[in-house]
Structures are given as structure tokens and as C-alpha cells.
Amino acid sequence: MKTQNIPKATIKRLAVYIQVLTGLKRDGVEVVSSEKLARACSVNPSQIRKDLAYFGEFGVRGVGYYVHELIASIKHSLGVDRVWGCALVGVGNLGRALLRHKEFALRGFSIRAAFDCDPYKIGEIVSGLEVVCTRQLKSRVDELGLEIGIISTPPERAQRAANYLVEGGLKGIVNFAQARIQVPKEITVEYVDFTHHFYSVAFNVSSSD
Amino acid sequence: MKTQNIPKATIKRLAVYIQVLTGLKRDGVEVVSSEKLARACSVNPSQIRKDLAYFGEFGVRGVGYYVHELIASIKHSLGVDRVWGCALVGVGNLGRALLRHKEFALRGFSIRAAFDCDPYKIGEIVSGLEVVCTRQLKSRVDELGLEIGIISTPPERAQRAANYLVEGGLKGIVNFAQARIQVPKEITVEYVDFTHHFYSVAFNVSSSD
DNA sequence: TCGTGTGAACCGATTCACAGCC
DNA sequence: GGCTGTGAATCGGTTCACACGA
């Protein structure tokens, strides 16, 4: 394992490799070469070998990669071979959908608390979780093992939600709100906006005419 | 407008600029410099000027950019200053959440048809749309003005959904399914996977210890 | 022989620095 | 004077090409 600075793009691709490898495993494939995997992921074979080389030597020369082992190795490298405790802030339409989305738990991201500052929502049960006042966040962090925050508030309340999460000591944030947030630089933030993907498609379709 | 090949990263950033500019407009800001905008977007000021230069000259030297005009110019450049007709394939949990998500329509992506191959779902009304057999897709394309396809099927059915969309003549696909798909190269595909963002956060938090 | 792992070459995107214009 | 627009320089990531090991 090299402690070099690993490209952000590599991390994104590793997530894709897991997705494709999981599909191969489902289809009963046990060994795969970087070339075959590359085709399925629409990337260059050397790209895959380079990406994996940042974390170790997972392949067998002349053979390829054992699918099951490679999945485990990549998950370990990413730090997703364990369960992460998550806190959601903002129980609106999107927040409810996220709370009900089972995929997160299946992939090791366990939403253990739902916060909102609206008194009408506090006390409500959504997907088995009681909505709690956001001010209570800090007091629940240790108890519930909260590590990653999810922001699903309206844009004008995203910064306040972020402040609560930072103050609570969470080190990572996934922000679904339609707003950028400012946090100390040691906190990791990922922005999720589905419509960005629609914009990309719209642009490509428009310019291909 | 330069017909050069525009970096994919530029397109992603333009979507971010729209988001931030919309926030500034909401706060009553009328003019912004590339430096101020850059700070809010966490990018380099020259980056913004370069990105915009691909599409035209939108700024005023010595002054900056007029927020309202710039939003309109970027939207026009991206081709999102009009309404796009969308078709959704796969009415499971995720599909239902997407159909109910109002943000798409607000941003000009109007979901006008919902398809599924499960006979138990066909005929059901979700968010005002009747679920129709996927085989009917092609016959509805012209009638409803369908241009962009949304895949929200289980992974093993994603490719079949893609085939229907391609056969129907749609030119762009936003794929929420947990699987890569193969389509003719003239078709644009964007992959959406929330858990990828969680993986990035998990990795960064893990490696910062 | 076949396919991985990796230094070297390449390519594209980001940043710099300043000319050009309000 | 101030900020945009843009060629030039820089930086980082991708691809190539081949040595190495099963």
C-alpha cells in the first residue's frame, strides 16, 4: 500500500469496479482479466491496474483477478468492509425517501438517527426512526456511533445543518441539499445532485444535433 | 461560442455555478466577480472564466457578471432553457421516489411516462402517471415527446430497459440501476449511484486517521 | 505464453500572468 | 482601477510499452 496521494477519480472508479465485479460474481464468473473488466467498465485496462496498484498487488500474473477476492480487497481499501453510522438532517420529501431507501443499509451505511428543526415533524416516526430536534444531534453522536452526516434540507438551511454536524464531531458529510456548504477543511463533503446528471445528458444530446 | 471539445468536468461545474448563482440571486446579489463566485464554489477563479469562455463572453471587464443574465446564459449553453420529456423504466421503490420527486419538473425534466414489465404494476397510478408495459414504450415516444430515459430497474434488468430506450429512439439515458449498460456510442449515458458518494466519504474519513 | 505491475511518455485540464476593455 | 478573457506554463492523470512472474 502506497501512501501517495490517490486521485479522486481513482476512488470513483473503484466504486464502479465493485459494482461491475458484483455483477460478474452474480453471473458465476470467478476470474477476470483487467482487459475484460475494463471493457465492462468502459475504461482502459492499464487504468484498472494502476488504480489497484495504489492499494496493493491483488492479481495473479498470467491469470487475472479472482472476482470474490478482488471485491473484498477493494472494499477493504475503501474502508467499506464495515458498517458506518449515519445521521440524516432534514426530513422533507427527499429525506423521507432516503430514510426508506434500503440500499444504504445493504451497502454498510446505517442511518441511525433523523433530525429536523420543524416542531411538527419532531416525534414523527419515519421508516422506524423517531425524528428528533436537530439541537439534540451532538448528544446522540457517541451513543449511536454517528460518523457520517446526510444533509437533505432545503438549500437555505443546508449550512446550519452542516454546522450542527461539524459541531457534533462528524468527519464526513454527504450533501443532498441544493447548496454549497462551508466546513473546516478536515471535513470531507460530497455533493449529490441528480439533476446535474440530467444537465450533462441534456447538454450532450443538444450538442450532438 | 467555440466548437472545441469541452471538458466533461466543465459541464459538471457549470451545473454547480447555476446552483450557487441561484442561491446568490435568492439573497439579492446582482453582480458577482469570478473571484467571489469561485470562493462560493470552491474552485479557482480562472477556472470559472475558462469554463465560461467555451460558450461566449458573459462578463463585463472591471465589473464582473450579472447574476441573472449569467444563470440564463449558462442554462442556454447547457441546453436546459427548455423542457425535456423523460420516460422512466422500472417502478420499484427507487422508481416511485423519482416519480414523486418534484425537483425534476422544476428544473425542466418532465417525466411523462412510467414503464414496467411486471403485470402487477401495469395499470397502477403513481404520482399521477399510469404504469404502462415497457413494450409500449416505442409507441409513446412521439406522442409524448420523450427524449431522455431514466432507468430504475433492478441491476439484472437494466440492460433490457436500455435496449427498449435505444430502440424507442431516445438519445440520452440517466441510469440509476446498479449495473453498467452497453448502448450505441451516439447515446449519452450518465450513471447515478448515491452510494458511490458514501464510498468516497468513507474512504476519506478512513484515511484521515 | 499470458496477464499483471510499473516507469516513461503523453495528453488534457488547471492555474498563472498579463493584455484588453469597461 | 478593476476584472474579464486568454495564450503560456504547469500540473496531474491516463495511456503506452515492456519487464516480471505464474
Side-chain angles (χ1 to χ4, degrees):
Chain A
M1 161 106 184
K2 293 151 191 177
T3 325
Q4 305 165 227
N5 49 336
I6 294 159
K8 241 196 93 184
T10 290
I11 304 303
K12 297 271 171 210
R13 280 192 299 268
L14 289 177
V16 174
Y17 303 159
I18 291 179
Q19 188 182 68
V20 171
L21 287 164
T22 304
L24 290 174
K25 194 183 163 193
R26 191 175 49 232
D27 297 344
V29 178
E30 292 186 351
V31 183
V32 71
S33 66
S34 61
E35 197 185 321
K36 287 222 182 76
L37 182 57
R39 212 177 349 250
C41 299
S42 308
V43 299
N44 184 296
S46 338
Q47 184 77 83
I48 293 186
R49 299 200 295 273
K50 251 289 136 74
D51 285 339
L52 297 176
Y54 285 115
F55 299 95
E57 305 198 359
F58 304 129
V60 182
R61 294 178 193 220
V63 179
Y65 301 88
Y66 291 100
V67 172
H68 181 77
E69 280 183 24
L70 187 54
I71 294 173
S73 301
I74 297 177
K75 285 191 176 174
H76 180 72
S77 302
L78 286 177
V80 295
D81 54 348
R82 68 170 181 92
V83 175
W84 288 80
C86 303
L88 182 140
V89 184
V91 187
N93 287 321
L94 180 59
R96 282 165 213 272
L98 294 173
L99 287 170
R100 294 191 186 115
H101 190 56
K102 290 149 202 139
E103 200 67 26
F104 294 136
L106 291 174
R107 309 261 215 113
F109 296 93
S110 162
I111 306 182
R112 296 177 184 159
F115 300 95
D116 204 298
C117 59
D118 179 348
Y120 288 100
K121 286 175 185 161
I122 291 169
E124 192 187 334
I125 308 286
V126 180
S127 193
L129 281 179
E130 185 184 349
V131 179
V132 173
C133 176
T134 315
R135 269 188 286 272
Q136 304 289 311
L137 196 153
K138 194 171 184 178
S139 68
R140 306 286 175 108
V141 171
D142 290 344
E143 178 191 345
L144 296 170
L146 304 178
E147 301 165 286
I148 294 176
I150 302 168
I151 299 178
S152 51
T153 62
E156 60 276 14
R157 257 171 267 153
Q159 184 62 56
R160 204 188 311 176
N163 296 345
Y164 276 115
L165 292 168
V166 171
E167 207 192 322
L170 305 214
K171 292 283 176 289
I173 294 175
V174 182
N175 181 13
F176 287 80
Q178 304 294 347
R180 299 275 122 177
I181 54 175
Q182 304 293 332
V183 296
K185 59 187 169 313
E186 69 272 16
I187 310 284
T188 300
V189 181
E190 276 283 319
Y191 293 89
V192 186
D193 185 347
F194 322 143
T195 53
H196 283 13
H197 299 270
F198 282 80
Y199 282 1
S200 289
V201 170
F203 171 71
N204 282 302
V205 173
S206 295
S207 51
S208 70
D209 298 337
Chain B
M1 160 109 183
K2 291 150 191 177
T3 325
Q4 305 165 229
N5 47 336
I6 294 157
K8 243 196 92 184
T10 290
I11 303 303
K12 296 272 171 211
R13 278 191 302 269
L14 289 178
V16 173
Y17 303 159
I18 291 178
Q19 189 182 66
V20 171
L21 288 164
T22 304
L24 289 174
K25 194 183 163 193
R26 191 174 48 232
D27 297 344
V29 179
E30 293 187 350
V31 183
V32 70
S33 65
S34 60
E35 197 185 321
K36 288 223 182 73
L37 182 56
R39 210 177 350 250
C41 299
S42 307
V43 300
N44 185 296
S46 338
Q47 183 78 83
I48 292 185
R49 299 199 296 272
K50 222 354 76 105
D51 286 339
L52 296 176
Y54 285 116
F55 299 95
E57 306 198 0
F58 304 127
V60 182
R61 294 173 194 223
V63 179
Y65 302 89
Y66 291 99
V67 172
H68 181 78
E69 281 183 23
L70 187 54
I71 293 173
S73 301
I74 296 178
K75 284 191 175 173
H76 181 72
S77 302
L78 285 176
V80 295
D81 54 349
R82 67 170 181 92
V83 175
W84 288 81
C86 303
L88 181 139
V89 185
V91 186
N93 287 319
L94 179 59
R96 281 166 214 273
L98 294 174
L99 286 170
R100 295 192 186 114
H101 190 56
K102 291 149 202 138
E103 199 67 28
F104 293 136
L106 292 175
R107 309 260 215 111
F109 297 93
S110 160
I111 305 182
R112 296 176 184 161
F115 300 96
D116 203 298
C117 59
D118 179 347
Y120 288 98
K121 287 175 185 160
I122 292 168
E124 192 187 334
I125 308 285
V126 180
S127 192
L129 282 179
E130 184 184 348
V131 179
V132 174
C133 176
T134 315
R135 269 187 286 270
Q136 305 289 312
L137 196 152
K138 194 170 183 177
S139 68
R140 306 284 174 110
V141 170
D142 290 344
E143 179 191 345
L144 296 170
L146 304 178
E147 301 164 287
I148 294 176
I150 302 168
I151 300 177
S152 50
T153 62
E156 59 277 14
R157 255 171 268 152
Q159 183 61 56
R160 205 188 309 175
N163 297 345
Y164 275 114
L165 293 168
V166 172
E167 206 192 323
L170 304 215
K171 291 284 177 289
I173 294 176
V174 182
N175 182 13
F176 287 81
Q178 303 295 345
R180 299 275 123 177
I181 54 175
Q182 304 293 331
V183 297
K185 59 188 170 310
E186 68 273 16
I187 311 284
T188 300
V189 181
E190 276 283 320
Y191 292 90
V192 185
D193 185 348
F194 322 143
T195 53
H196 284 11
H197 298 270
F198 283 80
Y199 282 2
S200 289
V201 171
F203 171 71
N204 282 302
V205 173
S206 296
S207 51
S208 70
D209 300 335

